[in-house]
Amino acid sequence: ARAGKVYGVDYSDVSVAIARKLNARSIGEGRVEILDGTVSELHFHDQTFDVVTAVETHFWWPDMPLGMREIRRVLKPGGTLCLIAENYKGAENRTSKLLEKYAHKTGLKLLSAIEHRDLLEGAGYADIEIIAEPSNGWICGIGKKPVA
């Protein structure tokens, strides 16, 4: 990001250390900050961010609805959440089918396209868009924090 600041949050000490190493230059320039934390309790003030992304993470959250509400809390009115995953329930690709079959053994919580929409709606997001490519297993859920 040339303007503004990018924050990364992860509960894994190893992931935080790797992200800090890979982003050392941007961190040194004050454009990036990598923090230990969890989506269930984000250590940011209300209405801090214009955009929040969750890439390949939400299916591991211990409480998805809570995480979605916590992200909505830190979004500014009109701010955007973008969830991205390479696999989802009901996708036609081999990896998604295998993950779906064994999810109960791993703790992975794959959602269908409809369940992604329901998750965003249930957490109070508006202007929801679900973009899915079943043959690749890709899914993107986008929602906005209502403006009032």
Side-chain angles (χ1 to χ4, degrees), residues 4 17 26 35 42 57 60 65 67 69 73 80 106-107 135 141-142 144:
S26 295
L35 306 168
L42 296 169
T57 64
W60 292 114
R69 290 189 306 272
R73 179 188 67 77
T80 302
T106 64
S135 62
I142 302 167
K144 297 224 181 246

Side-chain angles (χ1 to χ4, degrees), residues 5 27-28 39 42 61 67 71-72 76 80 101 106 110 123 137 142:
K5 188 169 183 176
I27 290 169
V39 70
L42 296 169
W61 297 352
I71 291 170
R72 192 188 72 223
K76 294 176 183 177
T80 302
K101 181 177 179 179
T106 64
L110 290 178
I142 302 167

Side-chain angles (χ1 to χ4, degrees), residues 3 11-12 18 21 32 54 89 116 121-122 124 130:
Y11 69 92
S12 164
I18 291 169
K21 184 177 180 179
V32 171
K89 188 182 348 175
H116 276 89
E121 284 178 357
I130 304 297

Side-chain angles (χ1 to χ4, degrees), residues 5-20 23 27 32-39 41-45 48-49:
K5 188 169 183 176
V6 174
Y7 291 84
V9 178
D10 203 299
Y11 69 92
S12 164
D13 294 338
V14 172
S15 293
V16 168
I18 291 169
R20 285 179 176 159
N23 291 282
I27 290 169
V32 171
E33 191 170 339
I34 309 293
L35 306 168
D36 289 297
T38 174
V39 70
E41 190 176 332
L42 296 169
H43 296 287
F44 299 104
H45 295 290
T48 298
F49 297 104

